[in-house]
Structure formats: structure tokens, C-alpha cells
Amino acid sequence: RSNGWAKVSPLNKSLTAGRGACLPESAVGWVRYPSGVSDLPTHNLIAWPDLPAAQQPLWPDPDNLADVTAELAQVPPLVFAGECDQLMGHLGQAARGEAFVLMGGDCAETFAANTADSIRARLKTVLQMAVVLQYGSRMPVVKIGRMAGQYFKPRSKPTETKDGQTLPSYFGDGVNDQAFAEAARRIDPHRLLSAYHASSAALNLVRAFTQGGYADLHQVHAWNQDFVRESEAGIRYERIAREIDNALAFMKACGADPEEFKRVDFYASHEALVLDYERPLVRIDSRTGNPYSVSGHFLWVGERTRDAGSAHLHFASLIHNPVGVKLGPTATPEDALALAETLNPDRIPGRLTFITRMGAGRVAEALPPIVEKVEADGHPVVWVCDPMHGNTRETSGGVKTRQFEDVTAEVHGFFEVHRSLGTHPGGLHIELTGDDVTECLGGIGGPQEQDLPYRYETACDPRLNRVQSLELAFEVAQRLEELR
Ligand code: PEP
Ligand code: MN
């Protein structure tokens, strides 16, 4: 370092070597970020080369944006680099088949639903699912929320037209508002700050719940106290909860009441999409000198922004957090291998997760060649199944939904592929809510098509409700039991 300028130390050596799918040597240098802003602490001085970035908001006013990014560059981190390293260790276990990952939360978080009730309900859903999975698999379950940062959405079209009026699409609460009105859809950089503050508040509550007694294993019954209790999944859950209670009581009688049962590690993840949010929230870790994203523990690059040479991949390659990439049915084995080389050249177990979302009808044919190629090259990838995004459809009435049976079919297909290849099914990534919504169809006693309008509340994609989530957990637990 000299004169307040810091050199980038990329995780990915191919960045400076000019090798691989990333950026040319000339693009890396001594660059000040954000440009034109002085007196920044040196930990914010990172080079951001000009690379193609899809799905970025067209900010109306560059000055406003610069003020916002300058402020984001100064705010306290939401997560600590050491926590990201811990998560990387847990994910490394999952890559080896010694742990199972559960990632879940909203498709799009909203500021309006950033309430204690909503956060607690989502957390409770993930905790209940984790109990079922852990009980079935006898493996640690790594719990990650799609939470405290999932405020940015890629869209298939930049605008939306209704009754002759054309407005910008809804890009997530971090960019604009979902209501179809001119003022609501206005793209506003100040929303980046609101997203940061909302994430900060959510993470604070999640930390309080998970460290302060709410997630204590002695509370397993308490998480099942509301509408889920009477459902078939709730009744099955109650049986497991009773057995856990008995085991805890027995252990206590033996004089053991370990601290591990009183707290859980819960991590925050979101899609790294809007770079004017993510870039200022990178900090240099004072312990190691390495750059980390401090906007969440785990970030993933979406299906629409994972092209070779994209700014999103460069971003993911630079940060030392564990990262993921979504892989849809158009991904080739060569694409996957190139991604692994770019994002994890040092082959660190837990550094890279592939979140596959092929669709129930495609998983059996599309997934095996990808897994085979990557595994044959010896890359230690965590294979996670997203059974949501390849199974979205529209009803005849034009409502976006997903059929629970398609979701479970993709999950079973995913397990089948890994069984036949002898590789490890590492985890599950789902869109869920803690409430009794009617967005996805099916499951035991679940919503039918005519029920959709009753509680259709998502800001973007349809989410499993809590009963459906729990039911899915039992399906997955059964597959994990078979692997024991
Ligand atoms: C999402 O996870 O909400 C999403 C947009 O997924 P994908 O990138 O897989 O389409
Ligand atoms: Mn989604």
C-alpha cells in the first residue's frame, strides 16, 4: 500500500494471469473506488474493471448514486469475515458428504415484510426443516437464510405494460417498489441504503433469536405451535420433537446439557446482483488482508448473470466469502468447469456451491454430464438442488405458480443422479415463507388452483408455505436416511 491506494489481491489468480474466462491483465491496476470520492479508508480501495454487467438498474441521477455508494462504502459490515470462513468450513463438510445444506427464504424480501413476525416465521420454518433433515440424516445441517439482503431481482423484461401504460419492471425493494404506478416504479438509489438498513435490522433479530434461546433445541415443540400443528407434516414433526425431548431429558439426567444445543449458527445469503450495492460493501479483512463481501455470508451469482467474463463473476471471484452459482438446463459441462476454474482455482472445499435448477422433467438428463465433468476434474463442489426455479408455470388464469409434486420430483431426480454417480447430494435451496400462503399448489391438503387468490402475497416468485416446506423436508430426510 502507498498513499492511500491499495492493490487488489484477487483470490482468483487467473485475474492477474489473464487466464480463464475473466478479465484481461490490463483491467487490474491501482484504481480508486468509488471514483471521485476522497478520504475513503484504504479498505475500500478496490479495483472494479469495466466488465459487462447484465440486469443493472438504469439509475436516473449519477450524483445521487455516487452519494449513496460513498455512504455504503463507510457503513459497518453486516457480517464478519471470520463467520464467512466458518461457513466455508461447514460447506466444505457438505462437499465431502459430511453435512447437508439448507438454504431458504423469500424469492424477494420486501421492506413491508421485514417485521419481527415475518422474520421469526421464516426462521422457524428453516429451523423445523433443519430438525427433520438432521434427525433423518444424522448429519449436521448448515442453515442459511435467503434473507437479510435478498432485495434485488433479475427480470426477464426491463419494462412492464398494463392497460396501455409502460413502466420499469419491479427490480426488488432495493431498487423500486412493486406497486404498478409511476412513482412506485421509479428507480431510486436511496433504496440501496434502505436495503442495507433493513438487512441490518433483520440480521440483528436473527442473531438475537439464534443466539438468545429461541433456537434452543429444548424449543423444538414451541416452533410447531401454530397452524402447522394440525397438518400431517406437523403431526409427523411432533413425533420427532417428542423423541428429541426424551433424548435431551435422558442426557440431562446423565449430567449433560451441552451449550451446543442452546444456539445455532444461521447464515445470511442473497443473490449478488446489483453491483452498486455489492461493490461498496466489500471490505479488506484486517486479519488477512483479503477482500470479503460484508453484505452477507454467502452470495450467489444468478442464472442470468453468470456468463463468462461478466462483472458478476469477476465480483464473485474477488471476494473470499463462500460463493454459489445457479445452473439451469442450458448450462453445459464446459460452462460448469470454467466456472469452477474461475471461482475456485485453488480448489478449496466449501468455496464454491453449484445450485442446480434444471426442472423436474430435465434433471435426469441435464444434471449428470455436469456433475461428471466437474467431479472428474477433481473440483470440490457443493451440489445443491434448487427445485423451484425450473418448475415455475402459469395457470390458465395467468398466475405464476409451482406444483409441489414437481418440486419433490426434481429433488428425487437430483438424489437419483448423485446416487448413480456416487457423488454427494449436498443441499437444498428453496423459496419459502413461514406463513400459510397459497402460492404453490399441492402437497397433502395443500392449495388447489382455485385457492391461489386467497393468500397470494409474494413480491416475485411463488413460495412454499410452512406446511409444504415441512412436507418437503420429510421427503428429503427420507432420501438422506437411505444414504446413512
Ligand atoms: C432466484 O433465485 O430468485 C432466481 C432469480 O433464480 P435463478 O437465477 O436461478 O433464475
Ligand atoms: Mn425466485
Side-chain angles (χ1 to χ4, degrees), residues 15 85 88 102 160 221 228 324 369 420:
L15 292 179
D85 293 348
M88 184 110 79
L102 174 62
E160 186 180 343
H221 288 287
V228 287
S420 69

Side-chain angles (χ1 to χ4, degrees), residues 383-400:
W383 297 104
V384 166
C385 175
D386 165 2
M388 311 299 291
H389 288 89
N391 296 306
T392 315
R393 64 177 184 86
E394 264 191 26
T395 64
S396 49
V399 182
K400 220 202 286 190

Side-chain angles (χ1 to χ4, degrees), residues 219-414:
Q219 298 293 316
V220 278
H221 288 287
W223 306 332
N224 202 41
Q225 283 308 316
D226 48 16
F227 64 89
V228 287
R229 198 189 163 92
E230 304 304 320
S231 67
E232 179 138 340
I235 292 163
R236 280 179 84 179
Y237 175 86
E238 209 43 44
R239 276 202 288 273
I240 293 182
R242 261 200 307 277
E243 290 186 34
I244 291 172
D245 255 6
N246 288 341
L248 292 177
F250 174 75
M251 285 179 61
K252 192 158 186 197
C254 300
D257 194 13
E259 284 302 307
E260 285 83 353
F261 293 168
K262 300 182 179 143
R263 281 180 274 279
V264 302
D265 292 330
F266 192 94
Y267 299 96
S269 75
H270 63 271
E271 176 175 352
L273 183 72
V274 171
L275 296 170
D276 288 316
Y277 182 74
E278 299 300 344
R279 286 172 170 176
L281 287 173
V282 173
R283 302 283 186 276
I284 302 297
D285 174 22
S286 57
R287 307 164 310 159
T288 60
N290 291 325
Y292 281 76
S293 164
V294 295
S295 71
H297 300 104
F298 177 100
L299 303 187
W300 74 87
V301 178
E303 170 72 358
R304 297 169 219 220
T305 49
R306 63 169 168 78
D307 312 319
S310 73
H312 292 85
L313 279 191
H314 167 260
F315 175 83
S317 68
L318 187 82
I319 58 175
H320 281 239
N321 308 53
V323 294
V325 185
K326 293 281 203 95
L327 295 179
T330 60
T332 65
E334 292 70 30
D335 292 340
L337 192 57
L339 285 165
E341 287 291 326
T342 301
L343 294 174
N344 195 13
D346 297 331
R347 303 183 178 222
I348 301 163
R351 155 72 180 161
L352 178 61
T353 298
F354 279 141
I355 306 167
T356 63
R357 26 88 89 225
M358 300 299 176
R362 299 291 308 277
V363 61
E365 86 196 69
L367 186 56
I370 291 175
V371 176
E372 275 176 309
K373 182 100 182 168
V374 172
E375 293 272 337
D377 224 77
H379 271 284
V381 164
V382 188
W383 297 104
V384 166
C385 175
D386 165 2
M388 311 299 291
H389 288 89
N391 296 306
T392 315
R393 64 177 184 86
E394 264 191 26
T395 64
S396 49
V399 182
K400 220 202 286 190
T401 190
R402 289 159 173 156
Q403 189 71 39
F404 183 78
E405 289 67 26
D406 291 339
V407 170
T408 52
E410 176 154 1
V411 168
H412 286 298
F414 168 84

Side-chain angles (χ1 to χ4, degrees), residues 107 146 153 389 431 461:
C107 176
R146 262 180 83 110
K153 296 311 299 173
H389 288 89
E431 291 183 340
D461 289 338

Side-chain angles (χ1 to χ4, degrees), residues 452-465:
L452 284 177
Y454 177 61
R455 273 195 79 174
Y456 194 95
E457 297 172 0
T458 183
C460 196
D461 289 338
R463 306 157 296 177
L464 298 182
N465 63 30

